[in-house]
Amino acid sequence: MATLGFLAAVTVGVAATVLGLLGAVGRAWTLAVPWLVPLGGLELALDPLAGFFLALVGAAVIPASIYAIGYVGGERRGVLAYLGFVVAMCVVPLAANVMTFVIAWELMSLASYFLVLHDRQAGASARAAWVYAVMTHAGLACLLAGMLLLAAWTGSVRFADWSAAGPGLPAGARGLALVLLGLGFASKAGVIPLHVWLPLAHPAAPSHVSALMSGVMIKLGVYGLARASLDWLAPAPTWWGAAVLLAGTVSAVVGILYAVVERDLKRLLAFSSIENIGVILIGLGAGLVFRAVGLGALAVLAIAAALYHVVNHAAFKTLLFLGAGAVVHATGTRNMNRLGGLVKLMPWTAACFVLGAAAISALPPLNGFVSEWLLFQALLQNTRIARLELNLVFTLGLAGLALTSGLTLACFVKAAGITFLAVPRSDAAARAHEAAPSMRVAMILLCVVCALLGLGPTLVLPALAAIASPLVGGAPLPALGDWLTLRVSREFAALSPLALTTALAAALLAPVVLLRLAGAARGTRRYETWGCGRILQTARMEYTATAFSNPFKRVFDFFYRSEKRLDIDFHPESRFFVERIEYGNPTRPIFEDWLYRPVLSALSVVARRARAIQSGSANVYLAYILAALLVLLVLT
Amino acid sequence: MITDVVLALAQALVGAAGAPLLAGVLRTLKARLMGRRGPSPWQPYADLRKLLRKEAVVSTTTSWVFRVTPYVLVATMLVAIVVVPVVASRTALPFAGIILLMYLFLLGTFFLALAGLDSGSAFGGMGSSREVAVAALAEPTVILAVFALALRADTTTLGGIVERFAREPLLAANPGHLLAFAAFFIVMLAETGRLPVDNPATHLELTMIHEAMVLEYSGRYLALVEWAAAMKLFVFLTLLANLFFPWGVPDIVEPVPVLLGLLALAGKLAVLTVALAGLETIIAKLRLFRVPELLAGSFALALLSVTAVFLVP
Amino acid sequence: MLRQLHVALRTGIVTEPAPRDADVERLGVRLGDELRRVFGRSLAIRHVDAGSCNACELEIAALTGPHYDLERFGLHIVASPRHADCLLVTGPVTRNMAEALLRTWEATPHPKLVIAVGDCARDGGIFRGSYAIVGGVGDVVPVDAVVPGCPPSPVAILAGILDVIGRLY
């Protein structure tokens, strides 16, 4: 029964992919059912941008649903919510008026809310779902405010009318609408500091759902941002592009800083999603700035690079979440300090996870490298803008992107190394089993996608540029080289993934051949790990996730503000004997402490004040109504 | 196409065969400065030859990651050598820029750090953790420092930068160039595991970075790892020599200019090696947790050098 | 710092000429051509303290200094038995260190040499017969050469090592 549900989801995914790809190459399609819902009716429209995101959702749903067949193992609960979630995500990019959009958006949020609550016994899940519900509805409130304002100013609830009327609106109004819509979409995308729900909700959901939430749902926030600033309110002002770029930089750096010290595998992946959203926004922001200053070709390049990273992140983050899910399924824990040694027990999962980790660390010749390379090239060309303040913003973006790439590597060496390598750190990890066949198929599928996206940017990028081009006012397609070599701005930069891969493969063969030619000894003896001759060697002597990230905690101490807690129980007879030692070195979340806590406490103070007028007596309420009427009469 | 393949092979030959000599000369020079006679400059070759004839002892806790890593390391370094302008400003992969080069190094670091964790010993984990921490801070600095040059040369390909600066030396006459050089030099010390960041001759596990990760390697695997480390030193010194002092690097691939270019490179490398040996003699190793301050400082220098591109036209 | 460099440059080389064979008394060398062919001019040494009083350690430490400078012969001391070709064992093998010594020997890849340095390492020395020791190094792992002395001088140790690998410049 559950299997049937997931097969249905696969079908939806295939259909969405096909329809989306058709849309992405320029096939237009609309559907209007005016009587179905009030205020404009149901209205769907397919254009290249919508098609791109629709195809993205569909393509991620296919492996996630195949995976789910083995992962949930016939449990029926949650299947309906999953289907609803999938369908809602497919409808969001297609929505062509406010009502359709809001219904799809809310359905997507509600379905994922129930999926986060899936493990309802756990207190953490309940709290995660609660925070998620609050944040997503705060975001929705911003979205609704922005959309209703736009509807009021343009006199239409259809998005197409907004695009037409947008340029005519006063600058202040457009700015206000952009900020409101931006806040709403950014909260869904998990942009810092609106990210607090993400590291709670993504790990709490079942892994195939986490994969979709991290892989594609938050991308719909990016879709919204792109739609609002490149379509509805185009052309967006320069400051808006710069703001998006800076927000992306902050998200990227802060997201990865939190990820690198995390010891919960799925939370680590969730924080890394925040980082990748940041990277995408750096590209989008750069594109917006280029567009605003009239550099159309560069804007196309930056936006195409951002879209490339959207696809890539969907591929490897889905893969990594599925891998993490297989680990959780096999061991029952997400705490990396209790994992280890899984490479021998679940070799397929380990290989897929290592490949995903290499891809997300942007290592050549995989897909992450191509999109980061493109983003670097797009950012570097800010020299063509002759405005110092914008140049400095771009330089910050470059520095942030460079810093992020190094930290990502550290983060994923830790995730893959501590989880899968060496010796199991707990009995649960020692008894792990390989993932079910359907789970393996899904992961291998995604590995292939990661490799292909890394090899074929010369085919993919022109298609993405064709999607980006109409969004920046029909700027001409920049020349992007031939099938072999990707070229950026003629002589500025080039990349040939195929030549690079060939060179790497040849270079990998070289040491094998050379060793053979040199007549190297081929004997191998297996013996225990060198531990200075120590007789008792246990898994407790391995480095843990906490230990691994300690250098980062010390280096970025000003940011983590971690506190050391050492709690020792001595033996009653002598202080030289210790009964129990507890050591903790938790980081303090600065956004929760400095942003949310003041806001929430102010809110509760106001609420307490407001309680004074709530006496509970009907007479007093009647008096309020009378007073309100009088005031209104006097005012009008 | 054929020129490219020949060029690639020539560069790989020069780099792969010459790298151990560079490491050996550095060791001899350092010994001389300490008043010792020191090993012969050819010592690394004898070491490699010996390691190839020994069996390999592989830990029972390790997996395929451990065994694949030495090959990947050598492969990334070979490609890195092909990518850097060694004998001519044009390289076999002419598109290659600093981003590709840095990510190639990161590919090696990724596997080496995983291999360090794979052995399950505290030393390996410690080495990996420190190595990625250093790489995470050093790698963005290299990228930014070279961007400062790339923006002035208006191309990000390494060969293009070398050509442009060789043609117009005045481009280099600005404070940004100096800042970039300083940043790059500091990071070169960190990336190649030299003093004051890491001591290549240490025997004390607690102070190790690179060495701690490779404690488990033996026989042919160790030979590959050490060869790769020598190649990394070669690549960084060559990059420093040809990128910041691009004079003498031929822009055509013909036998005579290429040989002259090789001579020029040998001269520049000799100067750099002497400087490095002198530096390693007079400075002490930094405390491990002071290293990030050094690296953060060089990151700031690199950022300034990029900013200088806009501030000082 | 510059003063340091100045001193370094002015001092020049203080390394002594290599010792001659006759300076050293040597015992029980069992070494084939095969080993000589393998090691050539390169030998990585791992030092194992199996319970020494540290007198031998001081002499070994002197080897790495400018005076004796073992690096000029292609010898160097390494941090892991995995990298080593030769174990330089000092001290009587105490009961606590016997297992560790054996594991170190196992951890060293073939072909490998063991050199027992000092009288204690030969047969227990003044600790012979003590309940706390297992015996000489030879009682735990196969020994290729013994350098006697209490402690042996650095020249003797150096000559012992060079003798084992059977070559000098």
Side-chain angles (χ1 to χ4, degrees), chain C residues 55-145:
Chain C
C56 296
E57 274 66 37
L58 288 173
E59 307 297 323
I60 291 173
L63 283 180
T64 56
H67 195 77
Y68 298 104
D69 187 21
L70 53 70
E71 276 206 334
R72 65 192 148 135
F73 302 113
L75 314 174
H76 59 125
I77 295 184
V78 294
S80 162
R82 293 270 202 268
H83 302 181
D85 313 309
C86 167
L87 296 181
L88 207 60
V89 191
T90 57
V93 182
T94 60
R95 293 199 182 276
N96 285 333
M97 279 302 288
E99 175 71 20
L101 176 59
L102 191 65
R103 287 184 187 225
T104 311
W105 186 79
E106 286 280 1
T108 312
H110 287 295
K112 58 193 165 194
L113 303 165
V114 177
I115 301 176
V117 173
D119 286 345
C120 300
R122 181 171 56 185
D123 53 6
I126 57 167
F127 301 102
R128 186 161 48 182
S130 161
Y131 66 89
I133 68 165
V134 178
V137 175
D139 295 326
V140 182
V141 294
V143 170
D144 297 284

Side-chain angles (χ1 to χ4, degrees), chain A residues 154 162-171 173-174 232 234-235:
Chain A
T154 59
W162 294 359
S163 320
L169 291 174
R174 283 151 43 97
W232 299 342

Side-chain angles (χ1 to χ4, degrees), chain A residues 343-344 347 350-351 354 357-358 361-365 369 372-373 376-377 380-384 388 391-392 395-396 398-399 401-403 405-407 409-410 412-414 416-418 421-423 485 491-496 499-500 503-504 507-508 510-512 514-515 518-532 534 538 541-543 547-552 554-556, chain B residues 51-65 67-68 70-76 78-79 83 93 95-97 99-100 103-104 106-111 113-115 117-130 132-137 139-141 143-144 147 150-151 154-157 205 215-216 220-221 223-224 227 287 289 292 299 303 306-307 309-311:
Chain A
V343 66
K344 290 164 203 101
V354 167
S361 305
L363 299 179
F369 171 69
E372 295 228 349
W373 184 88
F376 270 123
Q377 302 302 350
L380 273 175
Q381 296 188 64
N382 73 79
T383 40
R384 316 247 192 282
L388 188 59
N391 291 335
L392 292 183
T395 308
L396 282 182
L398 273 175
L401 198 57
L403 197 59
S405 62
L407 289 169
L409 179 97
F412 281 92
V413 164
K414 169 176 145 177
I418 302 280
L421 301 181
V423 200
T485 311
E491 291 302 308
F492 188 74
L495 180 72
S496 171
L500 177 65
L504 266 175
L508 206 53
V512 179
L514 282 177
L515 283 188
R522 315 237 312 262
T524 300
R525 184 159 55 91
R526 298 198 68 104
Y527 191 64
E528 63 182 26
T529 297
W530 170 240
C532 290
R534 203 187 287 115
T538 66
M541 283 154 198
E542 283 176 68
Y543 242 46
F548 192 88
S549 47
N550 188 45
F552 296 95
R554 294 186 73 143
V555 174
F556 298 101
Chain B
L51 285 173
L52 289 184
R53 302 193 175 190
K54 297 200 63 166
E55 69 166 2
V57 180
V58 175
S59 165
T60 42
T61 61
T62 56
S63 62
W64 56 269
V65 174
R67 272 165 284 139
V68 162
Y71 296 94
V72 174
L73 266 183
V74 168
T76 54
L78 283 175
V79 177
V83 155
L93 299 177
F95 53 80
I99 306 172
L100 173 62
Y103 280 99
L104 276 175
L106 282 187
L107 178 62
T109 308
F110 180 79
F111 273 92
L114 281 184
L117 284 171
D118 203 9
S119 63
S121 82
F123 301 143
M126 191 175 68
S128 307
S129 156
R130 291 174 180 180
V132 294
V134 169
L137 293 172
E139 182 253 3
T141 311
I143 291 193
L144 283 187
F147 279 172
L151 288 182
D154 202 30
T155 170
T156 61
T157 59
E205 288 92 347
L215 276 183
E216 278 298 314
R220 57 186 181 282
Y221 295 126
L224 292 178
W227 186 33
R287 261 186 65 207
F289 289 110
F299 183 72
L303 192 57
V306 176
T307 318
V309 173
F310 306 112
L311 294 179

